[in-house]
Amino acid sequence: MPKTALQSPTGVSPSLLLNSLAGLLHEWLPRQRWFAGKGRPVTGLTLASMTELHPGCLHLLVRAEHAEQATRSGPGTAPADNLYQLLLGVREMLPPYLAPAFIGRATEGPLTGLMVYDALQEPRSAGLLLDRLRHPGAAGPLRFERDARIDVPAGLTPRVLDAEQSNTSLVYGDAFILKVFRRVQAGINPDLEVPRALARHGCTRVPAPVAWFRTSQPQEATLGVLQPFLPDADDGWTLALRSLESGGDFTDEAYELGRATAEVHLALTSAFPVDPPEPHRNKRLAAAMTERLDATARSVPALLPHVPGLRAAFDAFALLDTERPAQRIHGDLHLGQVLWSGQQWFVIDFEGEPARPLAERRRAQSPVRDVAGMLRSFDYAARTRLPWRPEWARRCRDAYCAGYAAEATSDPREEPGLLRAYETDRALYEVLYEARHRPDWLPVPMAAISRLAEPGPAEPR
Ligand SMILES: Nc1ncnc2c1ncn2[C@@H]1O[C@H](COP(=O)(O)OP(=O)(O)O)[C@@H](O)[C@H]1O
Ligand SMILES: O=P(O)(O)O[C@H]1O[C@H](CO)[C@@H](O[C@H]2O[C@H](CO)[C@@H](O)[C@H](O)[C@H]2O)[C@H](O)[C@H]1O
């Protein structure tokens, strides 16, 4: 057991503990990809819950506020409630292998002089977390639960997944993957809710949750989900780039992806209630899209010249008289969310667009939102590789829609006005996402914005 002076922090009051951690977290949080106010300074910090998982390892839920945009409304703006999940280790000395996990040395409060680090990167703590999931039970406000029908062996070697992620995932022995949600919102996370429901309904396109953990403090919320790991799978983004780099064709894969999407959509209509068509739904949705457009343009002024053209796409959508049922969907479908196992496409990450409030992400919506997300993704892939091959994207988009139509009751290409509105809404989300997280990528969705703002076909060109 590592030598630590923190044998039992349960006797330490949260406010005292925060004295020790506040300075360190002010520095560390803004550098994390999952921090909502990435790069912006933390302006307030409170401890919402603290649980000692094992000596020297603290599970914390920390509420952090950041400067700017914290109070604006609209897509992608930070919810008022920014609650983060942290697993912190505390030691007197840090062994070299934990250097990348180092957060800082506490200079105040009860932890003074101790080294604080991200315990998710420590194999011992990661292993103990898996043990908790293997043996359902409680630890303070935390509850560990599992599907008892699936065996999870002891002693699987953990590693942190090296992926550009919104959360942190640990892979255990190439057999299971545990996603630890970093931003925690009240209620069940759709990334647990949806795959569980789909698995119950016999859908084999989604790795079924094996175990999960949640908290009751400061509110009921999902904290992490363990699923089978597909060890030899490549994600769709990697495969698409490979195809572009080799001058290849991706239409067979795109067609199959369309079929897989339609299959998941169909399974979702069995697993969750479907909202029947409702008069004026298009008008209401178009109004919400227009509001998001205005809010996004306030955050990213480069959009301003395109606002009238984009608004026209939403106005045309409002006037469409085909009202469709709404259903649960994926919510953030793109090439990075699908895995090719060698035999079939799997769909992962049902969390929805991470910046939207959870209640909104769990709402029934048009399946066209997902279709639009994937169509945008083909355009994304084509635009990130030179020479630009617009025909590659066009062919993939067409094949994807054809595959979708082969399994579903409708062909997305038959309703261009609907598709254009959802693609525009998605491209606006992407503009905000890139402006915040990867400003170098901003030209990718901006190219689509210029195209979508012009009258005429919405196809990439
Ligand atoms: N069941 C799985 N099998 C294999 N790899 C997976 C699995 N689930 C996720 N991954 C890998 O982990 C990455 C991040 O997962 P994802 O659920 O998208 O996390 P986040 O929501 O944090 O972005 C994926 O891009 C994929 O490469
Ligand atoms: O973290 P998530 O995978 O849940 O999704 C977020 O990050 C994605 C980028 O990693 C972002 O996707 C955008 O870039 C992708 C290429 O990196 C591209 O395939 C997508 O089409 C594009 O939207 C996604 O929007 C965001 O929610």
Side-chain angles (χ1 to χ4, degrees), residues 161 165-167 177 179 207 228-230 336-337 339 348-349 351:
L161 192 77
Q165 280 195 261
S166 306
N167 301 287
I177 180 165
K179 189 199 282 199
F229 182 69
L230 307 167
Q337 314 281 42
L339 300 175
I348 58 165
D349 194 4
E351 239 194 311

Side-chain angles (χ1 to χ4, degrees), residues 14 41 46 58 65 67 71 83 97 110 117 148-149 154 171 206 221 264 282 296 313 345 371 403 431 450:
T46 46
L58 297 176
E65 279 170 29
T71 55
L83 193 63
Y97 73 91
Y117 59 96
R149 293 166 305 174
V171 177
V206 173
V264 169
N282 291 347
T296 312
W345 286 109
V371 170
V431 164
S450 320

Side-chain angles (χ1 to χ4, degrees), residues 33-34 161-169 171 175-177 179-182 191 206-208 227-235 238 332 334-339 346-352 354 433:
R33 185 181 190 250
W34 37 264
L161 192 77
D162 181 22
E164 272 277 294
Q165 280 195 261
S166 306
N167 301 287
T168 299
S169 293
V171 177
F176 296 97
I177 180 165
K179 189 199 282 199
V180 177
F181 297 116
R182 287 302 198 161
D191 209 11
V206 173
Q227 289 176 320
F229 182 69
L230 307 167
D232 301 316
D234 282 312
D235 67 73
T238 306
D332 187 18
H334 60 84
L335 283 163
Q337 314 281 42
V338 290
L339 300 175
F346 282 86
V347 183
I348 58 165
D349 194 4
F350 283 79
E351 239 194 311
Y433 179 87

Side-chain angles (χ1 to χ4, degrees), residues 216-415:
S216 55
Q217 230 179 52
Q219 65 247 332
E220 191 61 49
T222 312
L223 296 176
V225 185
L226 185 77
Q227 289 176 320
F229 182 69
L230 307 167
D232 301 316
D234 282 312
D235 67 73
W237 178 253
T238 306
L239 294 173
L241 293 189
R242 214 175 277 161
S243 154
L244 279 157
E245 277 153 15
S246 66
D249 179 72
F250 201 62
T251 48
D252 287 350
E253 290 87 343
Y255 182 89
E256 279 309 308
L257 202 46
R259 281 199 337 106
T261 308
E263 241 182 61
V264 169
H265 280 165
L266 213 59
L268 284 166
T269 61
S270 318
F272 294 96
V274 172
D275 289 359
E278 164 202 314
H280 313 303
R281 180 182 274 149
N282 291 347
K283 204 169 161 196
R284 183 167 55 74
L285 294 175
M289 288 177 180
T290 306
E291 248 177 60
R292 282 197 285 271
L293 163 64
D294 293 340
T296 312
R298 282 197 294 275
S299 291
V300 186
L303 281 170
L304 287 171
H306 305 293
V307 167
L310 300 175
R311 206 179 262 271
F314 296 143
D315 291 346
F317 171 39
L319 296 175
L320 290 180
D321 55 8
T322 44
E323 303 285 351
R324 298 256 170 250
Q327 62 164 96
R328 290 298 293 268
I329 61 167
H330 180 282
D332 187 18
L333 196 63
H334 60 84
L335 283 163
Q337 314 281 42
V338 290
L339 300 175
W340 176 254
S341 68
Q343 271 85 45
Q344 67 158 75
W345 286 109
F346 282 86
V347 183
I348 58 165
D349 194 4
F350 283 79
E351 239 194 311
E353 291 172 354
R356 293 198 202 278
L358 204 123
E360 192 182 316
R361 294 191 251 146
R362 293 183 61 216
R363 233 175 256 154
Q365 301 184 58
S366 168
V368 175
R369 180 177 285 286
D370 282 347
V371 170
M374 192 56 85
L375 295 182
R376 287 281 317 115
S377 211
F378 293 123
D379 184 40
Y380 243 81
R383 290 219 174 244
T384 54
R385 284 297 176 271
L386 290 174
W388 179 42
R389 290 174 57 199
E391 86 294 346
W392 181 96
R394 245 193 321 266
R395 283 159 52 81
C396 286
R397 291 162 59 94
D398 210 42
Y400 178 78
C401 289
Y404 189 90
E407 289 295 321
T409 48
S410 62
D411 185 332
R413 292 166 296 187
E414 281 166 9
E415 289 179 283

